[in-house]
C-alpha cells in the first residue's frame, strides 16, 4: 500500500545530500534534532485528496501535497544585496530539489505523476541578517484500491516503507550512448556454412539448412547518441 507518509519519507531521504542544505532535511519526526544551522529543508504533507474512480470497487486516485520549506540566512548588506543573494541561493535549492525528486526511481515506482509543482519565495530581514524562505508544494499522485482497505482480522498491518534502505539501493542512471542492431535473417541463408562468431548462436539453424538464421550478419546499424 502506498501512503502519503511513505511518499514524504522517501522524498525526505531523496533530498538528503542532494541540495545545498546537505543533510539538514527534516520532517515532523526529526524536526527537534535541528541544530540551528542554515540552509535547511523542512517537509510536511498538509493535504491529501482522494478522488473515487467509480461507484463499484473502492478505487481512488490519491493526490498528496508535499510542502517543502527551504530556508537560508545571509548577512544583511547595503542596497538590499543580502536579499538578492538569498534569492539566488533559494533558486539554486529549488532546481536541486526538482532534480532530486522528479524521475527518482523510488518515487516513480509508486507515483502516477507529479500533477503540479508550485513555488513561492518569501523574505524577512531581522536583526543583522536576511532570512528567506522558498515554499514548494509538490503534488504526488498515486493509486489506492480495495486491497488497501478493510484488512482481515488476521492480517498484519502494512509496514511503513524503509526509505533509507530504498533510496540507498538506487543504482545511478547511466546515459544511453549507443544502439547496435544486427540482422541475421530468416529468408536469407547459407545452406551449409558454419560461422563460429554468430551474434545469436542459440538461434542458428544447424546445417544443412533451408532458412536462417545461419550465424552470419546480413545487415546492421549502429546509432551513436550525442551527449
Amino acid at each position: 500500500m502506498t501512503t502519503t507518509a511513505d511518499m514524504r519519507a522517501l522524498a525526505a531521504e531523496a533530498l538528503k545530500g542532494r541540495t545545498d542544505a546537505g543533510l539538514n532535511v527534516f520532517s515532523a519526526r526529526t524536526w527537534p534534532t535541528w541544530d540551528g544551522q542554515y540552509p535547511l529543508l523542512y517537509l510536511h504533507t498538509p493535504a491529501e485528496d482522494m478522488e473515487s474512480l467509480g461507484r463499484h470497487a473502492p478505487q481512488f486516485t490519491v493526490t498528496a501535497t508535499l510542502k517543502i520549506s527551504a530556508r537560508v540566512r545571509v548577512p544583511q548588506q547595503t542596497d538590499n544585496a543580502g536579499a538578492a543573494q538569498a534569492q539566488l541561493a533559494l533558486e539554486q535549492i529549488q532546481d536541486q530539489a526538482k532534480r532530486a525528486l522528479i524521475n527518482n526511481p523510488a518515487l516513480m515506482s509508486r507515483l502516477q505523476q507529479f500533477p503540479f509543482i508550485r513555488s513561492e519565495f518569501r523574505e524577512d530581514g531581522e536583526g543583522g541578517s536576511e532570512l528567506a524562505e522558498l515554499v514548494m508544494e509538490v503534488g504526488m499522485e498515486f493509486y489506492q484500491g480495495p486491497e488497501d482497505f478493510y484488512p482481515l482480522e488476521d492480517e498484519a498491518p502494512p509496514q511503513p516503507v524503509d526509505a533509507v534502505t530504498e533510496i540507498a539501493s538506487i543504482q545511478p542512471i547511466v546515459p544511453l550512448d549507443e544502439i547496435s542492431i544486427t540482422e541475421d535473417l530468416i529468408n536469407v541463408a547459407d545452406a551449409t556454412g558454419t560461422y563460429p562468431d554468430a551474434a545469436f548462436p542459440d538461434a542458428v539453424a544447424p546445417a544443412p539448412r533451408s532458412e536462417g538464421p545461419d550465424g552470419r550478419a546480413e545487415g546492421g546499424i549502429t546509432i551513436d547518441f550525442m551527449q
Side-chain angles (χ1 to χ4, degrees):
M1 179 179 182
T2 299
T3 68
T4 293
D6 287 342
M7 300 313 302
R8 183 182 64 245
L10 287 169
E13 198 62 32
L15 288 166
K16 287 182 180 179
R18 293 175 174 85
T19 74
D20 289 342
L23 298 180
N24 268 358
V25 180
F26 305 96
S27 60
R29 292 182 178 179
T30 58
W31 179 245
T33 65
W34 180 49
D35 61 3
Q37 298 298 310
Y38 291 92
L40 68 94
L41 302 181
Y42 176 68
L43 281 67
H44 66 293
T45 42
E48 177 188 276
D49 299 305
M50 298 177 65
E51 182 177 352
S52 174
L53 296 179
R55 288 189 172 89
H56 302 291
Q59 297 175 303
F60 299 91
T61 295
V62 184
T63 303
T65 299
L66 173 69
K67 183 172 285 190
I68 305 171
S69 298
R71 299 169 187 171
V72 299
R73 186 190 293 273
V74 299
Q76 286 189 341
Q77 302 174 35
T78 58
D79 300 325
N80 211 29
Q85 182 179 342
Q87 174 82 13
L88 292 174
L90 288 174
E91 287 176 347
Q92 180 160 303
I93 291 176
Q94 179 188 34
D95 290 339
Q96 292 167 339
K98 290 178 184 177
R99 289 196 296 271
L101 296 179
I102 296 175
N103 213 32
N104 185 294
L107 297 174
M108 298 309 297
S109 63
R110 291 172 170 82
L111 291 180
Q112 297 180 157
Q113 64 166 332
F114 292 100
F116 61 84
I117 297 179
R118 296 187 285 261
S119 299
E120 179 183 357
F121 294 91
R122 305 168 182 171
E123 61 180 76
D124 179 28
E126 60 174 39
S129 62
E130 192 78 33
L131 180 64
E133 181 180 48
L134 161 70
V135 178
M136 296 179 65
E137 292 184 347
V138 181
M140 309 178 89
E141 180 185 294
F142 53 91
Y143 168 84
Q144 288 181 345
E147 67 278 4
D148 297 322
F149 303 101
Y150 199 66
L152 300 176
E153 291 183 2
D154 58 349
E155 281 190 356
Q159 297 299 309
V161 65
D162 185 349
V164 175
T165 300
E166 189 152 343
I167 294 296
S169 65
I170 293 174
Q171 298 298 315
I173 298 174
V174 179
L176 182 62
D177 298 322
E178 179 184 281
I179 290 180
S180 293
I181 301 173
T182 301
E183 298 175 338
D184 191 348
L185 304 178
I186 294 177
N187 61 345
V188 177
D190 180 346
T192 59
T194 301
Y195 302 92
D197 297 325
F200 313 103
D202 294 338
V204 174
R209 64 181 70 86
S210 59
E211 63 178 17
D214 57 14
R216 61 178 180 174
E218 282 81 34
I221 185 173
T222 297
I223 302 173
D224 292 320
F225 295 99
M226 300 295 293
Q227 297 299 317

